[in-house]
Amino acid sequence: MRLASLYSGGKDSTFSLYLEEQMGHDVPYLVNVMPEDSASWIFHTPNLAVVPLMAEAMGKELITAPSSGTEEGDMEGLRIALDGLDVEGVITGAVWSDYQWDRMNLVCNDLGLKVFSPLWRKDQDLVMDAFLESGIKAVIVGCYAEGLGKEWLGRVIDRDAVDELKRIRAKTGISIMGEGGEYESMTISSPMHSRPLEIVESEIVWKRDNGTLNVTSARLGQRSRSEPSHPDGVGHH
């Protein structure tokens, strides 16, 4: 089936896209709704300016639409982006949010599009294990929960990080997937990337007990013939 992927650059949208391609679907389009308001309830907002590089690395056509960041604005932006695309369905990275699920389904149903959400209502520990085994590499670019301090910004989501997230969960009840808004992520590389994303310059904005890693400069690196190139960590300037 020919599909479009709602794509924010985060780990969940990348993993969902990867799973649907593994199922044999053709996914020529990435759809990115860009809210003006960073507090958008439906869409991921950090570092959206880097998404075009990600699309290039994956050989996908990027479809973008602006949004005010309000609920109505987000839904209208999604409708504009999807309307007229030569696809039969849409992939989402939704995990547990009924709010996101309902809003995206409303728009897609109106347009006659099927919704594919391979992570929906799955056990989060199992999803995270499968993510770690997929070869997708992502870093944390936003921290908004107790236990996630400034030192987490730029950290690769690997087995050690997940073990630590589970320890924090035991104390505070957070979602290790960040599904409750505890953290935001950005994909660096994956089996779908012909070249990895390299963060050249970034800045940390930290206020009281939360903050973001804003990527101010990025590029596509070179992939080694012998093995994938995986940049370790993030430089802050």
Side-chain angles (χ1 to χ4, degrees):
M1 191 171 286
R2 188 175 172 89
L3 307 176
S5 175
L6 296 186
Y7 194 75
S8 64
K11 64 173 176 44
D12 296 340
S13 57
T14 304
F15 189 35
S16 296
L17 168 58
Y18 171 77
L19 291 173
E20 294 300 339
E21 286 199 336
Q22 291 295 298
M23 292 292 289
H25 295 297
D26 176 28
V27 190
Y29 301 111
L30 302 183
V31 174
N32 183 222
V33 178
M34 307 178 71
E36 293 175 6
D37 186 352
S38 62
S40 165
W41 280 73
I42 300 180
F43 298 109
H44 167 112
T45 58
N47 297 308
L48 293 182
V50 183
V51 172
L53 277 178
M54 299 178 180
E56 180 183 344
M58 290 189 282
K60 308 288 188 187
E61 182 177 346
L62 179 63
I63 309 295
T64 62
S67 164
S68 62
T70 64
E71 177 182 319
E72 289 184 0
D74 282 351
M75 292 177 69
E76 183 60 20
L78 179 58
R79 186 184 307 276
I80 291 170
L82 293 174
D83 192 19
L85 274 189
D86 179 24
V87 295
E88 301 165 82
V90 177
I91 304 166
T92 84
V95 180
W96 279 97
S97 171
D98 288 327
Y99 178 86
Q100 288 179 319
W101 170 263
D102 290 341
R103 300 312 181 273
M104 289 187 288
N105 271 271
L106 277 172
V107 173
C108 291
N109 289 341
D110 285 348
L111 294 173
L113 298 171
K114 295 181 179 179
V115 178
F116 294 78
S117 301
L119 309 183
W120 182 246
R121 293 298 192 207
K122 299 292 193 299
D123 179 271
Q124 294 194 18
D125 286 37
L126 294 179
V127 169
M128 185 60 91
D129 285 343
F131 167 78
L132 292 173
E133 293 170 4
S134 70
I136 298 169
K137 184 171 185 178
V139 298
I140 291 177
V141 294
C143 295
Y144 315 107
E146 181 184 352
L148 297 178
K150 191 175 180 179
E151 71 280 0
W152 279 86
L153 292 175
R155 183 169 177 177
V156 174
I157 303 173
D158 56 13
R159 180 64 64 184
D160 287 344
V162 171
D163 287 345
E164 195 166 336
L165 287 171
K166 288 179 179 178
R167 288 192 288 272
I168 295 171
R169 179 179 64 184
K171 295 178 181 178
T172 66
I174 67 167
S175 159
I176 61 169
M177 294 291 293
E179 179 62 9
E182 294 91 344
Y183 67 87
E184 296 278 10
S185 61
M186 187 177 78
T187 302
I188 298 295
S189 64
S190 80
M192 301 174 292
H193 284 60
S194 62
R195 300 160 68 190
L197 185 75
E198 294 181 352
I199 298 173
V200 179
E201 294 184 356
S202 60
E203 61 180 12
I204 288 176
V205 178
W206 192 264
K207 298 177 182 178
R208 296 186 65 184
D209 56 357
N210 65 82
T212 58
L213 175 76
N214 295 321
V215 175
T216 55
S217 177
R219 66 189 175 206
L220 294 180
Q222 296 296 326
R223 178 156 286 185
S224 164
R225 290 184 179 181
S226 59
E227 60 182 2
S229 171
H230 293 310
D232 294 318
V234 174
H236 308 305
H237 299 271

